[in-house]
């Protein structure tokens, strides 16, 4: 009788150890096609990077039945995974359907987009030396000389290009929000999702 008690206790403790090991290793099976973030530079087994890679339909028909060519591919021999490299995901809408890749992390403003502003008109401190404004610049006139045309006259010649300074370097402006780089991965294996 004593021997049965010892064997019973041993069996119970063995089950407890197995149960603890099983719960420590337990992980819910992913949904096929789900995208998840990982803090590593690699994807776990059964997952692939969401980097827009082209995948063969023949070896991934279940995933193709979910994605189709939403993210690219020819739809006959291959399809593409979502590409979340340098992109932030947003919820889909009628203006941004599933798979739409829009936006840019930088933009170069056009003249029409710039705020209204003024430029300084430059002049020379040298004495005047010509009566023709074409290609010229404003100079220092002797006191008492008439130097301006009537405000009813129409300006009709271009003065020296340097009379008004240029502004800006025509460089792109970053519109990138602060980010933390992590690794988006796609579940290549898992439970096939049921439609509602």
């Amino acid at each position: 009788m004593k021997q049965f008690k010892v064997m019973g206790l041993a069996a119970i403790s063995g089950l407890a150890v197995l149960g603890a090991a099983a719960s420590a290793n337990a992980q819910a099976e992913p949904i096929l096609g789900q995208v998840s973030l990982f803090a590593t530079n690699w994807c776990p087994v059964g997952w692939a990077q969401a980097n827009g890679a082209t995948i063969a339909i023949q070896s991934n028909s279940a995933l193709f039945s979910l994605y189709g060519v939403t993210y690219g591919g020819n739809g006959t021999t291959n399809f593409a995974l979502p590409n979340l490299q340098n992109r932030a995901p947003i919820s889909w809408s009628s203006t941004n359907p599933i798979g739409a890749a829009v936006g840019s992390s930088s933009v170069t403003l056009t003249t029409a987009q710039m705020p209204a502003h003024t430029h300084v008109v430059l002049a020379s401190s040298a004495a005047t030396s010509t009566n023709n404004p074409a290609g010229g610049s404003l100079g220092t006139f002797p006191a008492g000389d008439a130097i301006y045309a009537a405000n009813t006259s129409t300006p009709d010649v271009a003065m020296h290009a340097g009379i008004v300074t240029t502004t800006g370097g025509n460089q792109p402006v970053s519109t990138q929000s602060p980010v933390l780089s992590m690794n988006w991965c796609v579940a290549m294996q898992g439970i096939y999702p049921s439609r509602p």
Side-chain angles (χ1 to χ4, degrees), residues 37-141:
L37 269 177
F38 290 88
T40 58
N41 63 356
W42 48 270
C43 294
V45 172
W47 295 74
Q49 285 189 320
N51 61 4
T54 303
I55 306 295
I57 294 172
Q58 185 176 3
S59 55
N60 296 280
S61 58
L63 185 57
F64 174 69
S65 72
L66 297 171
Y67 282 0
V69 291
T70 301
Y71 305 103
N74 62 22
T76 55
T77 59
N78 61 48
F79 67 104
L81 297 177
N83 188 357
L84 281 164
Q85 293 178 318
N86 297 318
R87 293 201 168 272
I90 61 169
S91 184
W92 69 278
S93 68
S94 58
T95 55
N96 288 306
I98 296 280
V102 298
S104 177
S105 57
S106 68
V107 64
T108 301
L109 297 177
T110 65
T111 304
Q113 294 169 317
M114 288 193 295
H117 63 286
T118 58
H119 293 263
V120 175
V121 175
L122 300 177
S124 171
S125 59
T128 59
S129 59
T130 180
N131 290 329
N132 188 351
S137 151
L138 297 174
T140 302
F141 290 85

